[in-house]
Amino acid sequence: MTDSDTVKGCGRRGDNGETAFINNIRHALGKTDCDTSAGPDEYFLPDPGAKEKFAAISQRSQQERLVLMDELVTRATAVNMVVKPVSTTDEAAEVIADIVSSESLEWGDKKKVTAWDHPLILSLDLEKVLAEQDIPVTITALSPDLDPDAERLRLRQEIEASFIGITSADLVVAHTATMVCKTRPGQP
């Protein structure tokens, strides 16, 4: 182990820049390297006006929502995100099938898709829709009958082999085309 592997008692770090990245965040928050005394509440203080802000967001007019959707569609192209507003799950499944059909592979020799185990995504019935194009779909659900470690490895390999991943979002920031996704079982 070299001096660069250990950072002020924080433990071993790889050569992938993780330590520098975390320390930049710590410095931006006014913390010292490896300051582990602060808990999440110190970094993420509750916003006393959060309830009012969320209420205002949920009461936006249809026009305000359309303006944000237009901004999201525009900004998403910069991060290679495809946003196609639709009205029904059938339309959404058709749009996904069209995207999968028209996109070229970046690696590998067969198109594969991975989709989150999420009620909205499952309602699209993508396995059936994409079967027409002979494109397999992996749903990110772990089989309870199999070894969990082996299942996670299998899913990781399927995800890595996929050329398109389909997720849901808990929150989307239109101004930056940022999707916020909570990690849950079936949604790695």
Side-chain angles (χ1 to χ4, degrees), residues 21 26 29 47 63 78 89 98 103 122 135 144 159 164 181:
F21 176 79
R26 284 188 180 113
L29 293 171
D47 180 350
Q63 182 59 36
T89 55
D98 289 345
E103 289 295 314
L122 294 174
I135 297 174
I159 291 167
I164 289 181
C181 306

Side-chain angles (χ1 to χ4, degrees), residues 6-43:
T6 303
V7 178
K8 297 183 185 173
C10 290
R12 188 170 171 77
R13 303 279 190 197
D15 284 340
N16 62 2
E18 175 185 1
T19 300
F21 176 79
I22 296 298
N23 284 339
N24 281 340
I25 293 171
R26 284 188 180 113
H27 289 283
L29 293 171
K31 304 297 176 187
T32 61
D33 292 349
C34 304
D35 179 0
T36 58
S37 63
D41 290 342
E42 186 173 331
Y43 290 119

